[in-house]
Amino acid sequence: MFRINTINGNNRMSTQDLLESINAALAQGETEFEIEASGQHDIGGPLWHPEGKPLKFYVKNAGQRVGSMCLPGTEIIVEGSSSADVGWLNAGGRIVVKGDGGDTTAHCAAAGTIYVGGRAGTRSGSLMKHDPLYEAPEFWVLKNVGSFSFEFMGGGIAVVCGYDSQQFESVLGDRACTGMVGGIVYFRGQAKGISAKDTKILKLTPDDIAYLDGRLDDFLTAIGRKEIRSELSKWNEWQKVVPLSYDERPKKANTDIYSFRTESWVPDSIFGDVCDDDFAVIGAIATGEYRRRVPVWENGKYSAPCEFNCTASIPSQQRFNLLRDGKIEEAYRLVLEYTPFPGSVCGAVCPNLCMDDCTRKNVDISAQIGKLGRYSAEAMLPHAETKTGKKVAVIGGGAAGLTAAWQLARLGHTVTVFEADEKVGGKMEQVIPRSRLPQETLAREIARIAEMGVALKTGVTVDREKFAAIKASHDAVVVTTGGHTTRVIPWPGHERIIKGLDFLKAVNKGQKPAIGKKVIVIGCGNSGMDVAVGAYGLGAEQVTCIDVQRPAAFEEEMTHVKKLGGEILWPVFTKEVTGEGIVTQDGKLIKGDTVIIAIGESPDLSFMPDGVDLERGCLKPAGDYSVAPGIFTAGDTIRPGRLVDAIGAGRQAALAADAYLKGAGFTAAQKIVIPAERLSTAYFKKCHSCDVPEAKSDYTRCISCGTCRDCHMCLKSCPENAITRTVGVNGAEYTSDPSKCIGCGICAGICPCGVWNMETNAEPLVFYR
């Protein structure tokens, strides 16, 4: 609690010094204040904590405008009474005055709550208003208010309890509610002199009673008067004042504003020398160029979280939309535009980053995106309609290389893949255990690439001479040889270590490399877990995996190893490798017959021509994935990564090579994730995990973030029927008619996908000369 006493001897602190002291304390992180004031103004005004924490003020002897322009998150409690302008222009704070409030209490309040435990003065609640984008302001008074209260009130809720006010002819004072056009004033007791030209007095409805009954306890608790609850709860003693509707108000004859301005006022308007007045009469609700905001249909402008997180940029929300529309084959084919490995990677070994931030997780659990790839096993895209006559070589037949080859062939180029191994597939074929990636799935997807027209040449070792020959006979080359050199740290005894990549390759080829009963695996990434599983498959009795840092492997991979009996230890720092195992830096011995290392791999780029930039043993491409004219690269030759990273980079490298062959420039597309606040999940029913449908039917739960799901909600909810739906070659499209649209924003508020956005109307108004 930060305490300030504004009287020091015979000296009184000025308002400016007090406010500066409060601001300085806020900057230091203070959140609660006890202020012994002496009439200073503006205490607890527009303040905020640097970390957004709520603020609380206990104030005695406050001056004018306590809580003026108060912001959300601020609470002010005034002991005793306060002078004029309490909560003037309140913008969201909670203000409690336990005594009387002065004149113009809650004047111009636009949000928040103001409680007065006594009486309030003249013009209290005048010009209260309500922006429909925010909660309505509330103003409660225990006793009565002075004259002219609620004058020109435009919105909000006022409650005058009339306690201890029987002596007054009107608990609302004289000439209350003059010019009132919005809001509600609830009152208990007598009320005379209320403007009959602007308002009417009604009995309470059940909804009114429910509101008052639900809020009364909070009010009485705040002002410390809970004992009078039963007295104030006699609802037959209450009434309410509401404004007359336009049709109910008395009309004057000859109210033609146009005629008045053109015939009776000033010819050519009062500003006719500087502007051209069109004499248009703009209503409170405008259409066309006079709207304050206009709706914009931004279908596809933003990426859904699934698409944004996927490094291959697969728009899964579009797949679900196609399934929703019954376009099943089209949905299964869509993924092939981004990856040729929907079954091998998306549906088998990918960590499915697409599901990590799925908006559906805010309702129940993520949409089943990963498994969706398995349904594309039999899908096929059409061949290029025309051939370009250009020849492209891809060196390296792993995920990045085969993806690049697939994309280039689809673009009409003649593509040949050169692979050093006896089979293409890279680490998918050579390293990943068959238990994680079924051989038949990978074989089927590689066959699909070949069927697209890609020539696959295996057993081709590329050195500098071979590379020069390939480059000379092709119009472009894409280098995707991956990382196949296992990193080994030269500890004493490192010659005893088996390289993890060599071990996994041997296992996948059906060989049975010799290992002991106790195996130590250095490295707890996914490769390390694959090594551990492979060791158990070869008869190891105990596998211990160690790392210097928190294991980077997926949780399910580590869980699998632990279920097999494996142990995962970290942090462990190796000092020496001996015949008995590993000696750590702190002198402990981890026993093991066999030590296998899996801490990463680096590429062998010795075949690359002189002049190509290398950085830490990897290629350093330009923004268009090129390392030299006509030479492009992707995957682990740039940096080690996941298979989905290699697929995404392979596609981009293919698009860059295609642009080069066409003599065009290339810039990788930038993804922007849709702001979460634009999405509405309230329209989706929560389901239990046991009710989640299989992936191909999960379109019922997909929110389709950033992409129109054609739900018709905007169409049906527009109050002016301004929205039109048309169906074109790209599916359903929605437009808003400016001549009907009033800029209310209902379309943007109700759209679950966040496709509609409200922007400031930028249409110029030609007025001044």
Side-chain angles (χ1 to χ4, degrees):
M1 181 79 74
F2 190 81
R3 292 177 172 83
I4 301 177
N5 191 331
T6 63
I7 298 293
N8 184 10
N10 294 322
N11 296 319
R12 174 184 176 275
M13 181 184 288
S14 70
T15 292
Q16 182 175 349
D17 288 344
L18 173 59
L19 298 183
E20 287 180 353
S21 297
I22 293 172
N23 274 313
L26 274 173
Q28 297 300 316
E30 294 290 345
T31 59
E32 292 196 22
F33 297 81
E34 183 179 294
I35 301 174
E36 188 77 37
S38 49
Q40 287 85 358
H41 296 181
D42 300 305
I43 299 173
L47 302 172
W48 58 90
H49 187 272
E51 297 177 5
K53 295 180 180 179
L55 307 177
K56 198 163 189 175
F57 292 82
Y58 300 91
V59 186
K60 293 181 180 178
N61 306 316
Q64 286 182 272
R65 295 191 297 274
V66 62
S68 168
M69 294 187 282
C70 198
L71 296 176
T74 297
E75 182 177 8
I76 303 171
I77 300 173
V78 180
E79 295 292 341
S81 299
S82 184
S83 55
D85 294 334
V86 172
W88 177 68
L89 279 171
N90 184 20
R94 176 183 168 95
I95 305 169
V96 179
V97 179
K98 293 190 175 181
D100 295 333
D103 291 344
T104 55
T105 298
H107 180 68
C108 292
T113 302
I114 300 174
Y115 289 157
V116 175
R119 309 186 196 282
T122 300
R123 287 196 166 90
S124 290
S126 60
L127 287 169
M128 283 179 67
K129 49 195 170 288
H130 177 209
D131 186 332
L133 294 178
Y134 302 92
E135 294 291 330
E138 296 185 67
F139 173 35
W140 287 61
V141 180
L142 178 64
K143 298 182 179 180
N144 64 307
V145 295
S147 297
F148 307 108
S149 294
F150 313 110
E151 187 179 44
F152 304 113
M153 183 177 182
I157 300 171
V159 183
V160 180
C161 299
Y163 178 75
D164 188 24
S165 301
Q166 297 84 350
Q167 66 273 35
F168 298 102
E169 289 187 352
S170 175
V171 295
L172 299 182
D174 188 34
R175 296 186 63 188
C177 303
T178 300
M180 180 180 181
V181 295
I184 302 175
V185 178
Y186 295 105
F187 68 94
R188 174 179 166 272
Q190 299 184 84
K192 295 183 178 180
I194 296 176
S195 172
K197 294 188 300 180
D198 301 305
T199 63
K200 58 185 176 182
I201 299 177
L202 302 174
K203 294 182 179 181
L204 300 191
T205 67
D207 287 343
D208 295 324
I209 295 172
Y211 165 75
L212 293 169
D213 193 50
R215 297 287 292 142
L216 185 58
D217 287 327
D218 186 62
F219 169 58
L220 294 177
T221 299
I223 63 173
R225 296 302 304 271
K226 291 193 292 185
E227 76 279 0
I228 62 174
R229 212 255 192 225
S230 59
E231 181 177 345
L232 298 185
S233 302
K234 298 173 183 177
W235 305 118
N236 61 328
E237 298 177 358
W238 287 79
Q239 300 177 80
K240 67 178 178 180
V241 183
V242 297
L244 295 175
S245 68
Y246 175 80
D247 292 333
E248 292 173 324
R249 292 177 183 268
K251 305 294 189 298
K252 293 181 180 180
N254 301 321
T255 55
D256 184 347
I257 300 298
Y258 180 82
S259 298
F260 171 74
R261 292 180 63 192
T262 57
E263 299 171 9
S264 306
W265 200 22
V266 179
D268 297 324
S269 90
I270 194 171
F271 300 110
D273 59 330
V274 294
C275 66
D276 295 312
D277 195 340
D278 61 3
F279 296 100
V281 178
I282 304 171
I285 299 176
T287 60
E289 62 183 354
Y290 293 111
R291 293 170 295 169
R292 184 169 66 89
R293 302 183 302 166
V294 296
V296 182
W297 196 62
E298 297 181 331
N299 186 35
K301 176 180 179 180
Y302 296 97
S303 296
C306 57
E307 179 184 355
F308 182 79
N309 281 359
C310 174
T311 50
S313 300
I314 300 170
S316 292
Q317 75 279 14
Q318 293 185 27
R319 288 195 281 170
F320 281 128
N321 282 343
L322 289 168
L323 290 170
R324 184 182 296 110
D325 292 340
K327 300 175 181 178
I328 298 173
E329 290 305 315
E330 190 175 340
Y332 296 161
R333 288 196 301 267
L334 177 62
V335 70
L336 297 180
E337 296 181 12
Y338 298 85
T339 172
F341 299 111
S344 300
V345 178
C346 301
V349 298
C350 184
N352 295 136
L353 307 175
C354 52
M355 297 170 61
D356 286 352
D357 294 323
C358 176
T359 305
R360 185 71 202 197
K361 289 174 70 175
N362 298 325
V363 180
D364 36 50
I365 64 174
S366 172
Q368 304 304 291
I369 303 172
K371 296 177 182 177
L372 194 60
R374 301 176 186 176
Y375 297 98
S376 299
E378 304 298 333
M380 186 64 193
L381 292 180
H383 289 219
E385 293 183 1
T386 57
K387 287 289 187 177
T388 65
K390 301 291 184 180
K391 296 170 61 179
V392 183
V394 177
I395 301 177
L402 291 175
T403 299
W406 166 260
Q407 300 293 354
L408 288 163
R410 290 183 56 234
L411 292 168
H413 305 301
T414 300
V415 185
T416 303
V417 174
F418 297 92
E419 168 59 45
D421 199 70
E422 59 191 35
K423 288 185 177 181
V424 296
K427 291 180 180 177
M428 294 183 291
E429 164 64 35
Q430 302 167 15
V431 175
I432 296 176
R434 304 295 190 223
S435 58
R436 290 180 59 202
L437 175 50
Q439 180 74 15
E440 59 274 14
T441 300
L442 179 60
R444 184 165 53 238
E445 295 189 324
I446 290 175
R448 179 165 52 197
I449 295 171
E451 201 279 332
M452 184 58 74
V454 176
L456 304 175
K457 293 188 176 182
T458 58
V460 179
T461 301
V462 177
D463 53 18
R464 285 202 170 200
E465 183 179 351
K466 181 66 174 178
F467 181 86
I470 291 174
K471 178 67 175 68
S473 58
H474 292 81
D475 298 292
V477 178
V478 182
V479 177
T480 56
T481 50
H484 290 272
T485 303
T486 301
R487 293 174 180 168
V488 178
I489 298 176
W491 298 295
H494 69 274
E495 63 277 358
R496 300 174 179 272
I497 297 175
I498 297 173
K499 296 179 180 180
L501 203 59
D502 295 343
F503 174 78
L504 290 172
K505 287 181 177 181
V507 171
N508 264 22
K509 288 180 178 179
Q511 302 170 4
K512 295 185 178 181
I515 59 170
K517 295 297 183 182
K518 292 185 177 181
V519 176
I520 301 172
V521 179
I522 302 175
C524 293
N526 287 325
S527 293
M529 297 303 106
D530 288 342
V531 169
V533 172
Y536 274 116
L538 292 174
E541 296 177 357
Q542 174 62 45
V543 178
T544 303
C545 302
I546 64 174
D547 209 318
V548 297
Q549 61 186 3
R550 179 184 293 275
F554 306 146
E555 190 62 37
E556 59 268 27
E557 301 303 324
M558 291 191 287
T559 300
H560 184 203
V561 170
K562 290 176 181 178
K563 286 182 178 180
L564 293 174
E567 187 176 13
I568 299 175
L569 304 176
W570 67 278
V572 176
F573 297 88
T574 301
K575 178 181 180 181
E576 182 181 2
V577 180
T578 71
E580 296 180 84
I582 285 178
V583 179
T584 66
Q585 290 286 355
D586 54 5
K588 294 181 180 178
L589 173 65
I590 300 176
K591 292 184 178 181
D593 311 307
T594 304
V595 179
I596 306 174
I597 192 167
I599 59 172
E601 301 82 32
S602 59
D604 178 4
L605 300 169
S606 58
F607 63 88
M608 293 297 292
D610 294 334
V612 174
D613 287 341
L614 294 177
E615 185 175 48
R616 296 181 180 179
C618 294
L619 292 172
K620 186 180 178 182
D624 64 352
Y625 289 82
S626 67
V627 294
I631 303 176
F632 302 85
T633 189
D636 288 355
T637 52
I638 301 174
R639 69 178 64 87
R642 298 159 297 210
L643 290 173
V644 67
D645 301 333
I647 289 170
R651 179 172 179 265
Q652 293 299 313
L655 296 176
D658 176 66
Y660 166 79
L661 293 171
K662 293 176 179 177
F666 173 79
T667 302
Q670 298 299 310
K671 296 187 291 185
I672 306 175
V673 68
I674 187 167
E677 61 271 15
R678 288 184 54 166
L679 304 170
S680 299
T681 59
Y683 309 105
F684 296 90
K685 182 180 178 181
K686 185 174 184 177
C687 70
H688 296 288
S689 57
C690 57
D691 298 326
V692 175
E694 56 181 309
K696 66 180 180 180
S697 302
D698 214 10
Y699 56 81
T700 57
R701 297 192 314 120
C702 174
I703 293 169
S704 188
C705 310
T707 303
C708 179
R709 71 202 308 264
D710 198 23
C711 63
H712 298 206
M713 291 180 69
C714 60
L715 185 71
K716 294 179 180 179
S717 62
C718 177
E720 303 301 317
N721 293 324
I723 295 176
T724 301
R725 175 183 180 270
T726 57
V727 178
V729 293
N730 296 319
E733 297 181 7
Y734 290 79
T735 55
S736 178
D737 185 348
S739 66
K740 295 180 180 180
C741 173
I742 61 175
C744 65
I746 289 176
C747 54
I750 204 169
C751 177
C753 316
V755 170
W756 283 105
N757 186 34
M758 299 302 296
E759 293 184 352
T760 300
N761 192 350
E763 188 171 350
L765 296 175
V766 180
F767 190 68
Y768 292 101
R769 292 175 181 168

